[in-house]
Amino acid sequence: MRRQYWRDFAKGIWEQNPVFKQLLGMCPVLAVTNTALNGLSMGLATAFVLISSSIIVSIIKGFIPRQVRIPSYIVIIATFVTVADLVLAALFPEISRALGAYVPLIVVNCLILSRQESFASDHPTHRAFLDALGMSAGFTFALLVLSSVREILGVGELFGFPVTMGLFRDWGVMILPAGAFLSLGVLIGLANYTTHKLGWES
Amino acid sequence: MELFLIFLAATLVNNFVLTYFLGICPFLNVSDRLDSSFSLGMATTFVMTMTAAVSWLINNFLLIPYNFHYLEYVSFILVIASLVQLVEMFIHKVSPPLYEALGIFLPLITTNCAILGMALFASMRDYTFIETLVYGFGAGVGFTLAISIMAGIRERLQLADVPWPFRGAPITLLIAGILALAFMGFAGLLAV
């Protein structure tokens, strides 16, 4: 039983990592990972929405008719996104400004909807919570890795602190849209390679 | 002229896929065949244009006058979800093979961030009704353009010998990176 719970949580971190393996929720992954701080804040905001929605959906799953489940999930998600957006704007106005329109766009992050559809809607609340927690951890981890790579290569800093000590010139392109696609492509390629070499495939 | 600039900006200069990263999921997953990508692009364009119109009406006649600004996300997404349902029924009736080909990605147009993103951007910029309509249509055309170019490249790519860890998504992302570099060339076209 305890093993089962551990699996619910742990599968999201690597084996079914939303970004590296399932390629879900790509828009915020690419858009706001120009600095590590932005990437981390987006990861945490998404985690809040995902965990809260999974809990609510798994509690009320018995009351939602099958035909209207998707719109109902989206309304639940949109409500939590509005909460997250207002809280961010009130407490961390600078981060809120940097993330801009990508906070409201958490509503259409396919990761969140896919977890409701494929897990929270037919599992008990505590397991849905663990699943959401694991997926959020995996998502935040991926965002942090990608945004650190881009910030270090693009402006030579990490969380705003200089780290490269002028060893090489900054690659300006890394913080531009093209750099997001290129670095994520290379990272996923590396993830495939290591998974295969280490024999982690299930 | 003003309208043409808005259209051009939404299609090329600020292409939704390649500069705002909106609509990446279908862009990566459905773009392996040119004909189905193009159809998906057309369906998305239709939903986008309709969404632009309906969300403008809701925003200007309901949300702003009655001060319901915080309901913006919920109401926009409901508009999009119902429009997608409509398009789905339409395609199912008119062209069953296309319906089969698009499969799961048809309902997923709802979670295509390009559509909600477009509605939010348009309401942020205080466009008039006609401008919003042109903006939505332009964004849809830009999406169709990007996904069709990608599908064209990927059809050729099937013959190429890609290193195995990079097959599938990674190579698609790398190509998207190069496309984004190319689209940066449009940046100087007009000042928006």
Side-chain angles (χ1 to χ4, degrees), chain A residues 23-28 30-32 70-71 74-75 78-79 81-82 85-86 100-102 104-105 107-110 113 150 173 176-178 180-186 188-190 192-193 196-197, chain B residues 17-25 27-29 70-71 73-74 77-78 81 85 108 110-114 116-117 120-121 124 164-167 169-178 180-181 184:
Chain A
L23 303 176
L24 290 173
M26 283 305 182
C27 314
L30 292 163
V32 298
I70 303 274
I74 291 193
V75 171
T79 313
V81 170
T82 310
D85 187 32
L86 294 177
Y102 292 98
L105 287 175
V107 178
V108 284
N109 187 325
C110 8
L113 191 65
R150 286 181 67 194
V173 71
L176 294 175
F181 286 114
L182 294 174
S183 38
L184 185 62
V186 172
I188 294 179
L190 286 179
N192 287 347
Y193 184 77
H196 186 78
K197 281 287 150 179
Chain B
V17 178
L18 295 169
T19 59
Y20 288 148
F21 308 105
L22 298 169
I24 296 288
C25 298
F27 180 66
L28 293 182
N29 293 321
Y70 56 89
L71 285 180
Y73 312 155
V74 182
I77 196 73
L78 279 177
Q85 194 72 48
L108 282 183
T110 311
T111 49
N112 183 337
C113 13
L116 184 65
L120 292 172
F121 285 146
M124 261 177 228
W164 62 263
F166 282 88
R167 278 182 205 149
I171 191 74
T172 313
L173 282 164
L174 292 179
I175 297 171
I178 297 168
L181 277 177
M184 274 167 65

Side-chain angles (χ1 to χ4, degrees), chain A residues 40-53:
Chain A
L40 184 63
S41 338
M42 179 46 103
L44 294 179
T46 311
F48 164 74
V49 177
L50 175 53
I51 295 171
S52 325
S53 325

Side-chain angles (χ1 to χ4, degrees), chain A:
Chain A
M1 204 58 193
R2 190 169 286 163
R3 265 198 105 107
Q4 176 70 61
Y5 292 154
W6 173 246
R7 271 208 47 70
D8 284 341
F9 171 71
K11 68 177 185 305
I13 296 180
W14 182 262
E15 198 181 310
Q16 294 184 23
N17 185 293
V19 176
F20 293 140
K21 301 284 159 170
Q22 300 192 64
L23 303 176
L24 290 173
M26 283 305 182
C27 314
V29 171
L30 292 163
V32 298
T33 49
N34 45 3
T35 68
L37 183 62
N38 286 353
L40 184 63
S41 338
M42 179 46 103
L44 294 179
T46 311
F48 164 74
V49 177
L50 175 53
I51 295 171
S52 325
S53 325
S54 278
I55 293 174
I56 299 291
V57 166
S58 63
I59 290 175
I60 63 169
K61 58 179 181 286
F63 303 103
I64 304 178
R66 254 194 83 71
Q67 297 83 347
V68 295
R69 67 187 192 289
I70 303 274
S72 332
Y73 298 161
I74 291 193
V75 171
I76 294 170
I77 296 169
T79 313
F80 283 112
V81 170
T82 310
V83 172
D85 187 32
L86 294 177
V87 169
L88 263 182
L91 297 182
F92 307 100
E94 269 175 42
I95 295 179
S96 169
R97 218 169 303 128
L99 297 182
Y102 292 98
V103 177
L105 287 175
I106 297 177
V107 178
V108 284
N109 187 325
C110 8
L111 165 65
I112 299 178
L113 191 65
S114 90
R115 286 339 281 169
Q116 312 311 323
E117 172 77 3
S118 64
F119 203 94
S121 59
D122 53 3
H123 286 85
T125 308
H126 55 288
R127 288 189 61 190
F129 170 72
L130 286 173
D131 173 75
L133 200 64
M135 286 294 160
S136 313
F139 187 72
T140 312
F141 164 70
L143 278 174
L144 198 58
V145 171
L146 180 63
S147 54
S148 309
V149 169
R150 286 181 67 194
E151 193 178 357
I152 291 173
L153 294 181
V155 289
E157 293 178 344
L158 185 61
F159 286 105
F161 299 106
V163 287
T164 52
M165 300 175 291
L167 287 178
F168 60 88
R169 278 189 63 180
D170 302 337
W171 301 354
V173 71
M174 292 307 276
I175 53 168
L176 294 175
F181 286 114
L182 294 174
S183 38
L184 185 62
V186 172
L187 278 179
I188 294 179
L190 286 179
N192 287 347
Y193 184 77
T194 46
T195 312
H196 186 78
K197 281 287 150 179
L198 297 175
W200 284 354
E201 270 157 316
S202 44

Side-chain angles (χ1 to χ4, degrees), chain B residues 47-59 118 129 132-133:
Chain B
V47 176
M48 267 187 159
T49 318
M50 297 289 289
T51 307
V54 179
S55 62
W56 189 89
L57 293 174
I58 291 186
N59 200 20
M118 181 276 304
F129 183 69
T132 308
L133 214 56

Side-chain angles (χ1 to χ4, degrees), chain B residues 37-91:
Chain B
S37 309
F38 187 71
S39 321
L40 182 75
M42 297 311 279
T44 309
T45 308
F46 175 75
V47 176
M48 267 187 159
T49 318
M50 297 289 289
T51 307
V54 179
S55 62
W56 189 89
L57 293 174
I58 291 186
N59 200 20
N60 283 277
F61 289 110
L62 286 175
L63 299 184
I64 293 177
Y66 297 104
N67 228 344
F68 281 153
H69 198 69
Y70 56 89
L71 285 180
E72 201 180 17
Y73 312 155
V74 182
S75 49
F76 283 6
I77 196 73
L78 279 177
V79 168
I80 296 170
S82 21
L83 279 170
V84 169
Q85 194 72 48
L86 203 72
V87 172
E88 194 180 341
M89 291 189 299
F90 180 76
I91 296 186

